[in-house]
């Protein structure tokens, strides 16, 4: 079995592929290395042989996790690394090593699935947009705060804004003007996200007319899916690119 990991700044997303190396059998999201090990501790269920991962953590944090995986499970570990070009896609950053590896893998996966021009929108702690032309040229992208960052900034810097995650979720049931602070904040942030999406669509249409595919990925993709009804929602788009960057026989 193959263990796949997407190690972000806030969470680790994981999934285990069956012996065919293709079919996911289980997965989840955890906040710490120890929680990951606990999730994978059932040796009868998970017979791990190999691991591939992408990490935007510090090298020291990534090295520590890799050492744990090798020690506990005895797996071989393959890591995604920055490259100028892969699978027909050309990294568009002036310094290609500065493009976040999770973004790189997501746009690799998007181009592979689209077989042509695509706009990849990833909704996590931050929101990213990346444009890939039909010839595989990455045209660059945008980064803005995601829902968690916007929400936490308001909570941190505004004393009277206090509410829990359950209240936040209820507020998403409508986009009517808020009659409570939680509704005003959550719906305001949602409208900002949707406005960001619409500007990305306008730019993509300037480049390619209607001849492109939109991909939505990340934990908050559902908050904007109504704005782009024809978009393809692919929660594991980073893992699609990871398999391309780190093929395991």
């Amino acid at each position: 079995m193959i263990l796949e990991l997407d190690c972000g700044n806030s969470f680790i997303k994981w999934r285990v592929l069956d012996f065919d190396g293709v079919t996911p059998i289980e997965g989840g999201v955890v906040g710490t290395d120890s929680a990951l090990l606990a999730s994978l501790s059932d040796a009868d269920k998970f017979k791990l042989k190999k691991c591939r991962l992408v990490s935007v953590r510090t090298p020291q944090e990534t090295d520590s996790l890799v050492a744990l995986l090798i020690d506990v499970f005895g797996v071989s570990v393959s890591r995604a690394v920055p490259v100028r070009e892969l699978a027909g896609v050309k990294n568009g950053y002036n310094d290609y090593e500065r493009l976040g590896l999770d973004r790189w893998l997501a746009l690799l996966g998007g181009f592979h699935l689209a077989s042509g021009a695509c706009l990849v929108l990833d909704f996590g702690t931050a929101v990213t947009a990346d444009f890939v032309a039909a010839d595989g040229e990455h045209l660059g992208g945008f980064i803005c705060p995601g829902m968690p960052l916007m929400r936490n900034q308001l909570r941190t810097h505004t004393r009277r804004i206090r509410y829990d995650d359950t209240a936040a979720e209820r507020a998403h049931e409508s986009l009517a003007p808020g009659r409570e602070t939680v509704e005003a904040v959550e719906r305001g942030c949602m409208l900002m996200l949707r406005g960001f999406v619409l500007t990305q669509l306008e730019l993509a249409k300037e480049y390619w007319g209607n001849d492109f595919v939109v991909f939505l990925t990340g934990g908050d993709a559902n908050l904007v899916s109504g704005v782009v009804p024809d978009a393809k929602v692919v929660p594991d788009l980073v893992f699609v690119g990871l398999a391309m960057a780190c093929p395991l026989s």
Side-chain angles (χ1 to χ4, degrees):
M1 292 180 175
I2 296 175
L3 171 64
E4 296 185 319
L5 300 176
D6 177 6
C7 305
N9 292 305
S10 303
F11 299 102
I12 301 172
K13 186 174 184 179
W14 66 273
R15 72 177 188 178
V16 174
L17 304 182
D18 208 346
F19 292 103
D20 61 6
V22 176
T23 308
I25 60 170
E26 196 162 332
V29 179
V30 295
T32 64
D33 294 358
S34 58
L36 174 65
L37 297 183
S39 298
L40 298 168
S41 61
D42 188 340
D44 292 328
K45 180 189 294 184
F46 302 120
K47 301 184 185 303
L48 304 177
K49 299 297 182 183
K50 300 177 182 179
C51 171
R52 56 187 167 213
L53 66 81
V54 56
S55 176
V56 296
R57 297 169 154 197
T58 67
Q60 294 78 12
E61 290 172 321
T62 305
D63 289 344
S64 175
L65 175 57
V66 168
L68 273 175
L69 294 170
I70 293 172
D71 181 55
V72 174
F73 301 112
V75 293
S76 60
V77 180
S78 177
R79 306 191 213 185
V81 297
V83 292
R84 171 62 72 186
E85 185 173 349
L86 182 65
V89 181
K90 307 174 192 68
N91 190 314
Y93 261 30
N94 295 326
D95 179 356
Y96 71 90
E97 293 184 341
R98 300 289 294 175
L99 177 65
L101 276 172
D102 50 351
R103 284 176 64 193
W104 170 241
L105 296 183
L107 67 90
L108 270 181
F111 183 75
H112 171 72
L113 295 177
S115 298
C118 62
L119 167 61
V120 178
L121 299 167
D122 191 342
F123 299 88
T125 303
V127 175
T128 62
D130 283 287
F131 298 78
V132 186
D135 64 356
E137 184 72 33
H138 173 223
L139 306 180
F142 299 95
I143 304 174
C144 73
M147 284 293 287
L149 284 178
M150 288 192 283
R151 180 186 296 128
N152 289 339
Q153 281 296 304
L154 285 167
R155 284 174 170 172
T156 300
H157 297 289
T158 309
R159 291 183 181 179
R160 294 176 66 86
I161 295 180
R162 295 289 183 273
Y163 56 84
D164 59 26
D165 292 340
T166 302
E169 199 165 314
R170 285 199 304 268
H172 295 165
E173 295 172 358
S174 168
L175 282 177
R179 292 177 176 270
E180 298 177 357
T181 298
V182 59
E183 294 175 348
V185 170
E186 291 296 317
R187 294 172 189 176
C189 291
M190 283 176 64
L191 288 172
M192 290 186 71
L193 278 192
R194 291 181 173 211
F196 176 81
V197 170
L198 291 174
T199 61
Q200 307 311 301
L201 290 174
E202 290 173 6
L203 182 54
K205 288 178 180 178
E206 289 179 14
Y207 283 138
W208 308 307
N210 292 314
D211 192 16
F212 65 96
V213 180
V214 181
F215 291 98
L216 305 180
T217 190
D220 285 331
N222 63 301
L223 297 180
V224 299
S225 57
V227 181
V228 201
D230 295 330
K232 298 182 183 299
V233 180
V234 186
D236 294 328
L237 192 57
V238 168
F239 287 144
V240 175
L242 179 61
M244 298 165 66
C246 302
L248 300 174
S249 56

